[in-house]
Amino acid sequence: MEYHDIVIIGGGPAGLSAAVAAHDAGVRDILILERDDHLGGILNQCIHNGFGLHTFQEELTGPEYADRYIRQIAERHIPYKLCTIVSDISAEREVLYINSEEGAVRLKAGAVVLAMGCRERPRGALALPGFRPAGVFTAGTAQRLVNIEGYMVGKEVVILGSGDIGLIMARRMTLEGAKVKVVAELMPYSGGLKRNIVQCLEDYGIPLRLRHTVTKIHGKARVEGVTIAEVGDDRKPIPGTEEFYSCDTLLLSCGLLPENELSKQAGVRLDSVTGGPSVDDRLETSVPGVFACGNVLHVHDLVDYVSEEAARAGEQAAAYVQTGERKQTAAAALEGKGGVRYTVPQTLHIADMADRVTVRFRVADVYRDKQLVVYYDGREVRRIKKRILAPGEMEELVLMKSSFADWPDVQTITIALEDQHGDA
Amino acid sequence: MAMNTYDVLVIGAGVVGAAIARELSKYELSVCVMEKDEDVCSGTSKANSGIVHGGFDPAVGSVMAAMNIRGAELIRKLHKTLDFPYKQNGAMVLCFDEADRPALEDLYDRGVRNGVKDMAIISGTEARALEPAISEEVVAALHVPTSGVVCPFGMTIALSENAADNGVEFRFLTTVTGIEKTAAGYEVKTDQGDFSATYVVNAAGVYADTLHNMVCEEPLHIIPRRGEYVLMDKEVGTLVSHTIFQLPSRKGKGVLVTPTVHGNLLVGPNAFDVEDREATDTTSEGLEEIRAQALRSVPAIPFQKMITGFAGLRAVEKSGDFILGETADGFFDAAGIQSPGLTAAPVIGEYIAGLIAKKAAARKKDGFLAVRKGIPEVAKLSPEERAKLIAKRPDYGRIVCRCENISEGEILDAMNRTLGAVSMDGVKRRVRQGMGRCQAGFCTPGTIELIAKTLGISMNEVAKNRPGSEFIMGE
């Protein structure tokens, strides 16, 4: 069987960054498997700017950002296969891939990096009632049709959900001459970045109606309109608040779901909140030698964080190949409390952790004037003031190895959101 | 005029029309199937439970009962010769209350009298041993090992393709506007011109009464009875292995929970009479209703794994039974075909075709092609077989639909064969592109492009189904 030191599943931003980092850590036998006909993943359809401020200290478009990494891949001569889909991964890191040139090929990997990204929640999963006409698209599908294929998907548009792609598409469709009538959001807050609400909706006078949802899709052949209603605290439509919006297109931006079907085949344990693998501070999953990064691990809002996280996964995969399986030291569990929905990583090996480990998390609601408190086995070790936290913005916190000097045997690290103390 | 003259004109290309056409194609007859939509299997046949019923439910002595048992037997053979997906997974009818046991016993007796084999009434404990996910409240169940699941698209498409391969002509996007008796038979008026035929078959589903009433004095009255469904991810497709029914009530068989032949979990249908014969919309109340009812049978159904909801219309005739036979001279009805219509379709085909052949004194054709081969399901092959196929046809190695693992080659096959698909839904029903968990999010752009290229039309002209359902609205 063909063997490679590191096989990376997915050639989007996560896969590319992981490959570069693994190469720079000294591993030469790397293979990237990408299902699309180009590297760069979804970045290629994100032709707006706003990428790279953290990574490159300049504002790039999605394709430009991808290109920076594609060049690094080329400079390092890291091999990749396009139009190649992985159909199976085993716990023993045997990978079966399919493409038209080679047919079906099995190979063995020293380490695997999962970087398959995520998918959009479709209409069916939202249980949106009504007819099933043409003209209902997820925002990303519409983005691809408009930006890559060059076709307009509609003229009068309603958008359900205020995720970032939906917000970006509200602006994009407007610039292409469509009328975006409204963005309806079920929750009392937007799921997207604040900057996108300002730059994509407010600047174009597109109304955002919070606490609203689509209760019916009209039109038997093509969308002819949607009924939108206000929802109560139970997120159920309030009778009598229904309003009809005539439109030919409904775009959905109602959440992204990490694509972990392959991870499950490999026996990787998933976190029920993130929908991605449960990982330790090395971004290693429950299956030894299988690492995860990017949106397959948890949905990010900025690609810069994906790149940074994936580089860490690449380095750790390289270390795994170079030094073999890590010693099974006891791991502390990280837990979120008081509105901290999850943490990534989920566990931390204190004995051999890096000097700094970045923990990322999201919160459950919009919170103002809170404090983020860190506890080691119930003992408060840090308290950080937070003016505002929102579900649409990923938060981070750095855990220093030095902070465990006095407590090397901590079992539970709690990250909690608490009210300000009187003296704050 | 001669061009538009046939021995038999079958109106409706659902599973019943297709089955009749296929049987007619065994004879020396010129046959045309006329369909108002762009493809076969566009009405009731596309949105139902996909169950090959055991036959315990229809009233003893009804046409339905007789046809159900034999229909199931025919499907068990046909799925091999015509290569469509079928699986005999067995069924269970759950009884939740000792007080209802007599009704369960009645069902058993009815089944025995209808000729259903191998049934048994089992205890709640025995039922849970067979199906661990069913409710603790189940006190007894009727076990029906002969029940099965079928792909309703696959079956209708296979019957149609085989009919076409045997000389039947299909005309799509043709709506019948009037039927008149002539000396030689019937003049059938449509929005695409007039046609004449010696015999007319009415297999028009929810519109069968409209056609019937154009010809016959005794009117029919079809009530479209909507049934809504929830389809769930294959990830939870093994929650149950049998088709799980609840004890039937007057309004229907209750809500069922079943694996589909493709491995998803299907829940539904409810029953709601509607006026509009195109009212295949779902409602939040309906989805809530089937959810609540289904949880009674299987309390752990993970509804968050829903990938789509849909609704179909049962063509219920006032009498409640199938209306089959020559209802006017040379005019044959296959009307009121509700459950177990899918199961009975092959028998209905035999029966109606038999009546026509007898009346026309038609001879059996030489060289009837009984066998039809489907499109290869590439992802189901072993890696070695798959590699071999890809070596011959590299397009079988280019995956377009990643959730269902459907290749470009299969999508092209869906269009490039007898009665090939001309729409996105047509492709989807032939090869399952877009039927997976992302519901065509990723593969829509690529499939639109493949359809445009293959059919030689512009991207703007590619439609979901009928004209007016195009995806793209400009460049």
Side-chain angles (χ1 to χ4, degrees), chain A residues 64-261:
Chain A
E64 284 167 351
Y65 187 96
D67 193 51
R68 297 277 170 111
Y69 277 93
I70 294 170
R71 273 192 225 173
Q72 294 182 50
I73 296 290
E75 283 160 13
R76 288 164 178 77
H77 307 288
I78 299 173
Y80 55 88
K81 290 178 189 293
L82 300 176
C83 299
T84 297
I85 195 144
V86 173
S87 82
D88 196 53
I89 308 176
S90 74
E92 291 70 41
R93 301 188 301 278
E94 284 181 27
V95 174
L96 174 68
Y97 71 81
I98 313 287
N99 64 32
S100 59
E101 282 78 37
E102 300 165 274
V105 179
R106 239 183 242 289
L107 50 81
K108 169 91 181 172
V112 169
V113 178
L114 304 172
M116 292 89 76
C118 58
R119 65 170 175 269
E120 298 176 281
R121 184 174 275 124
R123 178 213 172 152
L126 297 164
L128 288 186
F131 287 95
R132 299 204 296 161
V136 182
F137 299 93
T138 52
T141 303
Q143 187 179 46
R144 179 172 180 122
L145 280 164
V146 174
N147 291 349
I148 304 245
E149 324 275 339
Y151 293 97
M152 268 303 269
V153 295
K155 293 182 173 126
E156 292 195 306
V157 184
V158 168
I159 299 177
L160 175 62
S162 57
D164 288 313
I165 313 175
L167 300 175
I168 296 283
M169 281 309 288
R171 176 175 64 186
R172 187 81 189 103
M173 295 295 284
T174 305
L175 293 174
E176 287 291 330
K179 169 82 189 150
V180 178
K181 296 194 158 176
V182 67
V183 175
E185 168 60 57
L186 181 72
M187 303 305 285
Y189 49 80
S190 161
L193 292 170
K194 178 74 187 156
R195 73 172 197 211
N196 283 335
I197 304 225
V198 174
Q199 293 169 11
C200 300
L201 299 187
E202 289 172 10
D203 287 358
Y204 295 88
I206 300 167
L208 170 63
R209 304 193 71 180
L210 299 173
R211 292 172 160 272
H212 279 74
T213 192
V214 169
T215 57
K216 184 160 186 183
I217 297 171
H218 304 265
K220 290 168 187 173
R222 175 82 196 193
V223 174
E224 289 168 10
V226 295
T227 303
I228 288 181
E230 193 181 335
V231 298
D233 291 336
D234 59 357
R235 296 183 210 165
K236 297 251 162 70
I238 301 169
T241 63
E242 297 88 356
E243 270 179 84
F244 177 79
Y245 282 79
S246 121
C247 60
D248 52 42
T249 303
L250 173 65
L251 298 187
L252 304 172
S253 183
C254 302
L256 299 169
L257 309 165
E259 277 220 300
N260 278 288
E261 281 64 37

Side-chain angles (χ1 to χ4, degrees), chain A residues 141, chain B residues 400-402 411 424 433-435 438-449:
Chain A
T141 303
Chain B
V400 178
C401 164
R402 49 173 96 156
I411 292 173
M424 183 81 95
Q433 160 277 336
M435 283 217 190
C438 92
Q439 288 284 296
F442 286 117
C443 62
T444 293
T447 310
I448 293 177
E449 223 168 283

Side-chain angles (χ1 to χ4, degrees), chain B residues 281-345:
Chain B
D281 52 327
T282 53
T283 62
S284 48
E285 301 79 21
L287 296 176
E288 190 44 52
E289 179 190 353
I290 57 174
R291 182 189 142 88
Q293 283 200 46
L295 290 176
R296 208 176 161 218
S297 296
V298 184
I301 297 173
F303 277 91
Q304 73 276 15
K305 295 287 176 189
M306 173 172 176
I307 60 172
T308 191
F310 63 91
L313 300 175
R314 309 170 184 86
V316 179
E317 211 284 320
K318 228 172 34 205
S319 68
D321 203 353
F322 294 162
I323 310 290
L324 292 172
E326 188 173 2
T327 40
D329 184 26
F331 183 88
F332 297 82
D333 270 323
I337 312 298
Q338 54 164 316
S339 178
L342 183 65
T343 313

Side-chain angles (χ1 to χ4, degrees), chain A residues 199-424:
Chain A
Q199 293 169 11
C200 300
L201 299 187
E202 289 172 10
D203 287 358
Y204 295 88
I206 300 167
L208 170 63
R209 304 193 71 180
L210 299 173
R211 292 172 160 272
H212 279 74
T213 192
V214 169
T215 57
K216 184 160 186 183
I217 297 171
H218 304 265
K220 290 168 187 173
R222 175 82 196 193
V223 174
E224 289 168 10
V226 295
T227 303
I228 288 181
E230 193 181 335
V231 298
D233 291 336
D234 59 357
R235 296 183 210 165
K236 297 251 162 70
I238 301 169
T241 63
E242 297 88 356
E243 270 179 84
F244 177 79
Y245 282 79
S246 121
C247 60
D248 52 42
T249 303
L250 173 65
L251 298 187
L252 304 172
S253 183
C254 302
L256 299 169
L257 309 165
E259 277 220 300
N260 278 288
E261 281 64 37
L262 285 172
S263 321
K264 279 183 235 170
Q265 281 178 15
V268 164
R269 194 171 57 239
L270 300 185
D271 180 317
S272 63
V273 180
T274 59
S278 195
V279 292
D280 65 15
D281 50 307
R282 292 185 168 184
L283 301 174
E284 191 171 4
T285 68
S286 62
V287 176
V290 177
F291 297 80
C293 54
N295 282 351
V296 81
L297 179 56
H298 59 136
V299 174
H300 296 62
D301 39 24
L302 292 182
V303 72
D304 301 79
Y305 297 146
V306 168
S307 298
E308 189 240 282
E309 178 182 275
R312 219 150 29 98
E315 285 160 18
Q316 298 297 341
Y320 182 89
V321 171
Q322 288 159 341
T323 62
E325 209 159 313
R326 91 192 294 182
K327 274 197 303 271
Q328 283 307 311
T329 56
L334 280 108
E335 62 167 19
K337 254 194 180 163
V340 175
R341 289 184 62 232
Y342 70 83
T343 67
V344 168
Q346 285 85 348
T347 58
L348 178 70
H349 293 268
I350 295 166
D352 58 3
M353 71 181 278
D355 290 342
R356 298 163 57 88
V357 169
T358 304
V359 178
R360 296 211 158 95
F361 59 92
R362 282 184 194 266
V363 294
D365 203 343
V366 176
Y367 300 104
R368 283 169 210 283
D369 299 324
K370 288 273 190 176
Q371 293 193 344
L372 200 60
V373 192
V374 182
Y375 296 92
Y376 292 170
D377 282 341
R379 287 164 302 201
E380 181 182 325
V381 291
R382 257 170 97 190
R383 185 171 282 268
I384 306 153
K385 280 186 196 171
K386 285 279 177 186
R387 274 202 48 224
I388 184 151
L389 298 106
E393 321 255 347
M394 197 161 75
E395 297 290 331
E396 66 173 55
L397 178 85
V398 175
L399 294 180
M400 309 292 289
K401 187 178 172 87
S402 56
S403 71
F404 294 99
D406 298 337
W407 296 313
D409 300 320
V410 166
Q411 312 234 318
T412 307
I413 301 161
T414 306
I415 298 175
L417 215 48
E418 295 178 4
D419 287 330
Q420 298 257 22
H421 282 177
D423 60 347

Side-chain angles (χ1 to χ4, degrees), chain B residues 117-128:
Chain B
K117 291 185 190 132
D118 307 328
M119 286 184 308
I121 290 184
I122 57 177
S123 70
T125 312
E126 287 168 323
R128 277 182 291 276

